[in-house]
Amino acid sequence: MTLYREIAAKCLRDEALALTELVEQLDENFDRAVDIILGCKGKVIITGVGKSGHIGEKIAATLSSTGTPSFFVNPLDAYHGDLGVIEHNDVVIAISNSGQTDELLRFFPFLLENKIPVIGISSNPQSLLAQNSTAHIKVSVRYEACPLGLAPTSSTTAVLAMGDALACALIEARNFKKSDFAHFHPGGSLGKQLLTKAKDVMQKDNLPIIDPETLLSQAVINVSQGRLGLCVAVDKDDKIMGLITDGDVRRAMEKSQNKFFELKVKDIMTINPKTVTPETKIAQISQTMHKNKIHAVLVTDKENHLLGIVDSFRTML
């Protein structure tokens, strides 16, 4: 291993150790903090200076995306008008490694006077931040991962992880579901899967339809031309009778050999293919495909007429 990789490995091990040791620091203050946030009727305001501020911004984003309205306020800006955004029904999470940051503590009189609950996060339970917080979460590391022991590395990683721990506890407490997450991430892949329906992505033009009486020798051509690796057998009323795939044709060819050219679609088709309604969510379709080890489902109406086809590629659009 090169010197650079050895340094990187040590950094990762040191930070991993710091996170593991956080477990022992969890106490009733963590429970109290979760209860305070759950009881909040307004917003969760997160604040911190420097590196603590950057971590605070990420924690605010995580909380907001998981059902807890939150945003970050720089305490340096708070003295120039931003205090107006903090209301009596809000909760403040204040982050400071030392717990003694002047810029952060300077607006504590405002918070105390307005009886705004404060959740302090610092490494020092005896700090001014801890003493003036409604609940204080201790986040202490034995040393920084930085080779000089100076740059905030293990400490900032630990606070970030504690913020994630808060978010996870709140997710469970609120019974926050994937569908709720999707509403906060409509542009992301998860949001698309949980909000998009079959009718939004299904192929509905030039569908690979075939007569059940068609010889397999001809069906091979139809399956190939359809570009989905399948054909749907329908009756005279356009109701679905079955489904054949390129795999079905290949297995029939291997099994029947010389008799292959005598077989018809109806002889090998799957009589009850997996179907969904136009309103079925893509996430559910993906689960169905995975569970049944198939790459496509048929979209049908109540009378079992073929409306479209959703393949595995379309579930990722």
Side-chain angles (χ1 to χ4, degrees):
M1 183 180 292
T2 66
L3 173 62
Y4 297 144
R5 275 180 279 169
E6 287 179 358
I7 295 172
K10 183 179 183 304
C11 175
L12 294 174
R13 283 193 293 266
D14 288 345
E15 295 203 359
L17 177 62
L19 296 186
T20 301
E21 292 180 341
L22 286 183
V23 176
E24 298 176 0
Q25 299 179 40
L26 292 171
D27 59 17
E28 65 276 2
N29 277 286
F30 185 87
D31 298 333
R32 190 177 304 128
V34 173
D35 288 336
I36 289 172
I37 296 174
L38 288 174
C40 178
K41 302 300 182 183
K43 311 170 295 295
V44 174
I45 310 296
I46 301 180
T47 186
V49 179
K51 302 295 189 298
S52 293
H54 296 314
I55 297 300
E57 289 186 74
K58 191 277 178 184
I59 294 175
T62 299
L63 290 176
S64 290
S65 69
T66 53
T68 301
S70 310
F71 63 89
F72 177 80
V73 170
N74 190 319
L76 301 177
D77 296 329
Y79 313 121
H80 302 284
D82 282 4
L83 277 177
V85 305
I86 304 177
E87 301 175 311
H88 71 280
N89 57 352
D90 293 337
V91 168
V92 170
I93 297 179
I95 304 171
S96 167
N97 185 43
S98 67
Q100 300 289 130
T101 306
D102 289 340
E103 297 90 342
L104 187 67
L105 295 172
R106 207 178 299 167
F107 74 96
F108 258 59
F110 168 83
L111 301 177
L112 296 175
E113 181 181 351
N114 288 275
K115 298 181 180 179
I116 296 172
V118 177
I119 298 170
I121 300 179
S122 82
S123 64
N124 185 4
Q126 307 305 319
S127 63
L128 286 174
L129 173 61
Q131 293 175 23
N132 289 280
S133 295
T134 313
H136 177 260
I137 299 176
K138 179 185 176 183
V139 178
S140 178
V141 300
R142 285 190 285 174
Y143 51 84
E144 298 288 3
C146 165
L148 301 176
L150 299 174
T153 45
S154 297
S155 59
T156 49
T157 300
V159 173
L160 183 62
M162 189 61 76
D164 288 342
L166 273 174
C168 288
L170 290 164
I171 287 172
E172 287 290 334
R174 297 186 194 280
N175 195 26
F176 196 79
K177 297 181 175 62
K178 286 185 178 180
S179 56
D180 300 316
F181 189 84
H183 284 291
F184 291 99
H185 298 75
S189 59
L190 177 60
K192 290 177 182 178
Q193 280 205 343
L194 292 173
L195 298 178
T196 304
K197 300 177 181 179
K199 65 180 181 182
D200 300 320
V201 298
M202 67 183 185
Q203 178 177 327
K204 51 188 176 182
D205 298 319
N206 301 316
L207 295 174
I209 295 174
I210 198 168
D211 190 294
E213 297 293 330
T214 303
L215 290 171
L216 287 186
S217 55
Q218 175 60 40
V220 172
I221 300 175
N222 292 59
V223 171
S224 177
Q225 290 178 339
R227 297 185 178 181
L228 290 175
L230 58 84
C231 273
V232 183
V234 298
D235 62 15
K236 294 180 180 179
D237 296 321
D238 291 329
K239 290 187 178 181
I240 296 172
M241 300 292 292
L243 173 77
I244 63 167
T245 66
D246 49 5
D248 294 329
V249 174
R250 185 173 59 254
R251 285 186 289 273
M253 185 179 297
E254 294 173 351
K255 183 177 181 180
S256 59
Q257 296 184 3
N258 294 335
K259 294 183 179 181
F260 173 77
F261 293 98
E262 300 175 11
L263 295 176
K264 296 181 180 180
V265 169
K266 67 179 182 180
D267 297 324
I268 69 166
M269 67 183 185
T270 300
I271 298 177
N272 296 306
K274 296 298 178 183
T275 62
V276 298
T277 72
E279 298 296 319
T280 304
K281 301 289 180 62
I282 292 300
Q284 183 178 338
I285 293 175
S286 296
Q287 292 175 357
T288 298
M289 289 181 181
H290 179 73
K291 179 180 179 181
N292 295 279
K293 297 181 180 180
I294 57 178
H295 71 276
V297 296
L298 309 182
V299 184
T300 64
D301 60 16
K302 294 180 180 179
E303 285 74 38
N304 204 36
H305 294 113
L306 180 66
L307 302 178
I309 299 174
V310 177
D311 63 0
S312 55
F313 175 75
R314 291 175 181 273
T315 64
M316 297 185 291
L317 295 177

